[in-house]
Amino acid sequence: MTFFTALYPPAHVVGELEAVLDRRLDVEWTKPEKWHITLCFHGETADHERFKALEGLEVPQLRLKDFGNFRGEVLWAGIHGGLNRLARAAGADDNWFAHLTVAYGYKGQPMPEFLSSPWQPAEAVLVSSADGVYTPVDRVGLRTSARR
C-alpha cells in the first residue's frame, strides 16, 4: 500500500476531458474516476501531520491545458494554475510536476489542443493505493475564492 495527496477535478471538467480523448487510440486509458493531480507521493507511510497542515491553505484557480508525455509513454493533461506552493506544503520535492495522467502506452499520437473550464478544488484528499484501488483516507478543506 502507498499513499499520496491528491486534488480531484469536478465532474464537469472530467466530462470535458473525456469529450476530447480519442478512445480509438491504442493506449491503456486510466479510468476517469481515478483522474487526479498528485500534490505529493508519500510512499508506504502517510505523513498525516503534514497533510493536516494543508487545511485552509489557499488554492489557485486551475484548468486542464493541453497534453504532454513522460518518457514518450505516459500521456498526461497539463495543469494551468500555480500549484507549486501547495505541493511543497504537501511534501513534494523539486522533481514534482503538476499533471493529470490520462493513459499509459502512449506512442506519440497527435492530441488536440485543450483548455478546460476553470475550477478551484475545495479539498485535498489523502489517498491510499493498493492493487490499483484508490481509497480516500482523509480530507482537508482548502481556501478558495468562494471560501475566504
Side-chain angles (χ1 to χ4, degrees), residues 3 5 42 45-54 126-127 137-140:
F3 296 89
T5 298
H42 300 284
T45 306
D47 188 339
H48 288 276
E49 188 174 317
R50 188 164 218 160
F51 177 75
K52 288 293 188 184
L54 294 175
L126 182 62
V127 180
V137 173
D138 202 353
R139 299 171 190 273
V140 294

Side-chain angles (χ1 to χ4, degrees), residues 24-107:
R24 296 171 298 175
L25 292 179
D26 183 24
V27 296
E28 181 186 334
W29 297 104
T30 57
K31 295 178 181 177
E33 61 270 17
K34 294 175 93 175
W35 286 346
H36 66 277
I37 303 164
T38 300
L39 287 178
C40 179
F41 179 74
H42 300 284
E44 294 181 7
T45 306
D47 188 339
H48 288 276
E49 188 174 317
R50 188 164 218 160
F51 177 75
K52 288 293 188 184
L54 294 175
E55 179 76 47
L57 291 183
E58 188 170 0
V59 65
Q61 187 174 78
L62 304 176
R63 294 178 104 159
L64 300 180
K65 184 175 185 339
D66 296 328
F67 297 93
N69 68 83
F70 294 127
R71 299 176 308 278
E73 299 173 2
V74 178
L75 179 66
W76 48 258
I79 309 300
H80 180 74
L83 281 176
N84 285 342
R85 194 175 126 265
L86 195 62
R88 295 293 182 265
D93 62 23
D94 291 340
N95 295 320
W96 179 83
F97 176 76
H99 68 283
L100 185 151
T101 301
V102 176
Y104 297 96
Y106 175 71
K107 299 169 188 74

